[in-house]
């Protein structure tokens, strides 16, 4: 045999241990999400199972087969659970059921001396679990497709190798005597496990840190109360000096907002802001942006929209918010919003359009509130 089977198993366990340590370290620097707990336990048990298989030194006794294979199956079931939760599926009953059935089906033959049948079944159920993990990554949508595709391919590599072993054992028809000699497919399994454990562990870390980076970036650009963009994010998308011909900008200010906080409490004030943000989000398209730029001040930018369309959107937002009939702390009065609209001139900067929309907003305030006012259109020279 051109490679040492036991050495390959120990190498796989060593590689898995390195990945396990990296995952443990990552938990210190990331949120303690449930998939990290499952992945830590899964990798730990998988590493232990591989190590015990490598240390049995050719002995095919009941305990040297049942113990490591059971540990390996439990570990793979936890890995399957971590994959599902990592990709957004919170239902972990399938991994639990698959794991329990796999242990019962694959380990039972060993207690009746059917080592060959047991070997066939253990390879088949391991292949099934790995295939299910691959299927989850093939369905993934929110993570980079090249990375998830490679992870799926590595799971399929291990699944295919194990399935091939199950087929070869079946073709030999040796249900009672399990050969002490290591066959070529055993070596292929060990090689695929070494490649798979190392590759999947490393790429899972890549995905985890990528998610953490995106989350931190989103948090830095998002208003924590309302979930819309903050002022910083707005000006990252539209620089103050950008020339924005024809760009509609809406400025919003909640009417009598201070009275809501003073008379109804800040909790009610926060709820009112969140309700208004919900109205704004309901009128967003893929190109539009909405940001909270002050206490009760919001801005909506509508690329690709005409002035008439922007005015219609402003009116729908104004009336939609009024229809919520939220109390504003004044007798027989509801929370309303005033709106200012401006569109960019031929050579006008974003900062200038924003300023004119703000001026239009103050006209709305002075006109009695709960209205939309438009800034004058800048004509080309």
């Amino acid at each position: 045999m051109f490679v040492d089977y036991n050495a390959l198993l120990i190498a796989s366990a060593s590689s898995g241990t390195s990945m396990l340590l990296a995952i443990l370290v990552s938990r210190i620097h990331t949120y303690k999400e449930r998939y990290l707990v499952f992945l830590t336990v899964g990798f730990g048990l998988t590493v232990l199972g591989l190590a015990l298989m490598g240390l049995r030194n050719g002995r095919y006794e009941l305990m040297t087969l049942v113990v490591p294979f059971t540990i390996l199956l439990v570990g793979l079931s936890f890995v399957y659970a971590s994959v599902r939760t990592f990709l957004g599926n919170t239902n972990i009953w399938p991994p639990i059921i698959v794991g329990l059935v796999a242990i019962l089906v694959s380990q039972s033959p060993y207690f009746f001396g059917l080592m060959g049948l047991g070997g066939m079944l253990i390879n088949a159920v391991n292949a099934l679990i790995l295939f299910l993990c691959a299927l989850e990554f093939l369905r993934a949508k929110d993570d980079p497709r090249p990375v998830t595709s490679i992870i799926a391919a590595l799971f399929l590599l291990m699944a295919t190798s194990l399935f091939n072993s199950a087929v070869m054992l079946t073709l030999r028809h040796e249900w009672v005597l399990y050969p002490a000699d290591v066959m070529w497919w055993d070596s292929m399994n060990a090689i695929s496990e070494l490649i798979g454990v190392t590759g999947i562990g490393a790429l899972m870390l890549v995905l985890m840190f990528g998610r953490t980076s995106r989350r931190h970036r989103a948090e830095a650009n998002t208003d924590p109360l309302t979930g819309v963009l903050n002022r910083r994010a707005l000006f990252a998308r539209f620089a103050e000096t950008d020339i924005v011909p024809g760009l509609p900008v809406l400025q919003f200010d909640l009417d009598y907002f201070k009275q809501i906080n003073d008379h109804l409490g800040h909790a009610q004030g926060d709820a009112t802001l969140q309700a208004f943000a919900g109205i704004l989000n309901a009128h967003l398209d893929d190109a539009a942006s909405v940001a909270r730029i002050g206490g009760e001040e919001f801005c909506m930018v509508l690329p690709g929209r005409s002035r008439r369309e922007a005015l219609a959107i402003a009116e729908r937002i104004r009336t939609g918010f009024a229809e919520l009939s939220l109390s504003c702390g004044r007798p027989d009065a509801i929370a309303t919003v005033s709106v200012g609209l401006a569109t960019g001139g031929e050579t006008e900067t974003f900062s200038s359009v924003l300023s004119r929309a703000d001026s239009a907003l103050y006209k709305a305030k002075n006109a009695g509130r709960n209205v939309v006012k438009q800034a004058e259109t800048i004509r080309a020279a």
Side-chain angles (χ1 to χ4, degrees), residues 57-106:
N57 197 26
R59 291 181 294 122
Y60 289 89
E61 303 164 359
L62 182 62
M63 295 308 295
T64 61
L65 292 171
V66 172
V67 173
F69 284 144
T70 300
I71 292 174
L72 183 62
L73 277 171
V74 175
L76 288 178
S77 298
F78 270 97
V79 170
Y80 180 30
S82 78
V83 167
R84 285 177 63 86
T85 53
F86 181 76
L87 298 176
N89 194 329
T90 57
N91 182 10
I92 63 169
W93 279 108
I96 293 174
I97 294 172
V98 168
L100 291 174
V101 172
I103 292 171
L104 179 64
V105 170
S106 64

Side-chain angles (χ1 to χ4, degrees), residues 321-341:
F321 184 57
E323 287 171 358
L324 295 180
S325 300
L326 301 176
S327 175
C328 68
R330 300 167 62 214
D332 301 322
I334 59 173
T336 57
V337 63
S338 299
V339 192
L341 164 63

Side-chain angles (χ1 to χ4, degrees), residues 113-164:
L114 302 175
M115 304 304 186
L117 179 60
M120 181 198 73
L121 292 174
I122 192 66
N123 282 294
V125 295
N126 279 337
L128 173 62
I129 295 174
L130 292 169
F131 174 78
L132 292 173
C133 290
L135 191 61
E136 294 290 337
F137 274 104
L138 288 173
R139 293 172 175 172
K141 297 179 180 179
D142 298 330
D143 293 289
R145 174 58 64 182
V147 179
T148 56
S149 296
I150 294 173
I151 292 177
L154 291 172
F155 273 119
L156 286 173
L157 171 67
M158 293 190 291
T160 302
S161 178
L162 289 168
F163 181 74
N164 175 69

Side-chain angles (χ1 to χ4, degrees), residues 82-348:
S82 78
V83 167
R84 285 177 63 86
T85 53
F86 181 76
L87 298 176
N89 194 329
T90 57
N91 182 10
I92 63 169
W93 279 108
I96 293 174
I97 294 172
V98 168
L100 291 174
V101 172
I103 292 171
L104 179 64
V105 170
S106 64
Q107 301 302 289
S108 298
Y110 290 124
F111 291 93
F112 298 96
L114 302 175
M115 304 304 186
L117 179 60
M120 181 198 73
L121 292 174
I122 192 66
N123 282 294
V125 295
N126 279 337
L128 173 62
I129 295 174
L130 292 169
F131 174 78
L132 292 173
C133 290
L135 191 61
E136 294 290 337
F137 274 104
L138 288 173
R139 293 172 175 172
K141 297 179 180 179
D142 298 330
D143 293 289
R145 174 58 64 182
V147 179
T148 56
S149 296
I150 294 173
I151 292 177
L154 291 172
F155 273 119
L156 286 173
L157 171 67
M158 293 190 291
T160 302
S161 178
L162 289 168
F163 181 74
N164 175 69
S165 295
V167 171
M168 296 304 296
L169 287 170
T170 303
L171 294 176
R172 290 170 65 91
H173 300 294
E174 294 182 343
W175 312 124
V176 177
L177 297 175
Y178 194 98
D181 293 333
V182 176
M183 308 304 292
W184 63 267
W185 54 80
D186 293 316
S187 297
M188 293 302 298
N189 284 344
I191 292 172
S192 68
E193 288 161 3
L194 177 58
I195 296 172
V197 168
T198 304
I200 291 170
L203 291 173
M204 284 286 285
L205 287 173
V206 169
L207 290 181
M208 282 191 284
F209 284 113
R211 283 189 176 186
T212 301
S213 177
R214 292 195 297 274
R215 179 164 50 226
H216 288 168
R217 187 164 56 250
E219 289 173 351
N221 292 327
T222 303
D223 174 56
L225 176 63
T226 61
V228 301
L229 299 177
N230 55 27
R231 187 183 186 90
R232 170 186 174 183
L234 179 67
F235 285 106
R237 294 189 180 188
F238 303 94
E240 293 183 79
T241 56
D242 284 351
I243 305 300
V244 288
L247 179 69
V249 175
L250 299 174
Q251 285 276 75
F252 302 89
D253 187 271
L254 301 192
D255 300 326
Y256 302 110
F257 184 73
K258 187 176 184 300
Q259 294 187 19
I260 298 177
N261 283 333
D262 291 344
H263 296 288
L264 301 177
H266 288 279
Q268 182 60 40
D270 290 348
T272 302
L273 291 170
Q274 291 168 338
F276 181 66
I279 296 291
L280 291 176
N281 284 327
H283 290 83
L284 285 180
D285 57 27
D286 292 337
S289 298
V290 61
R292 183 185 178 194
I293 58 176
E296 66 272 19
E297 297 179 22
F298 294 80
C299 176
M300 179 180 281
V301 186
L302 299 165
R305 296 283 192 169
S306 68
R307 186 182 185 90
R308 179 177 297 180
E309 289 173 324
L311 179 61
I313 290 172
E315 285 290 353
R316 288 199 297 270
I317 291 172
R318 183 189 65 80
T319 56
F321 184 57
E323 287 171 358
L324 295 180
S325 300
L326 301 176
S327 175
C328 68
R330 300 167 62 214
D332 301 322
I334 59 173
T336 57
V337 63
S338 299
V339 192
L341 164 63
T343 53
E346 289 297 323
T347 60
E348 192 174 13

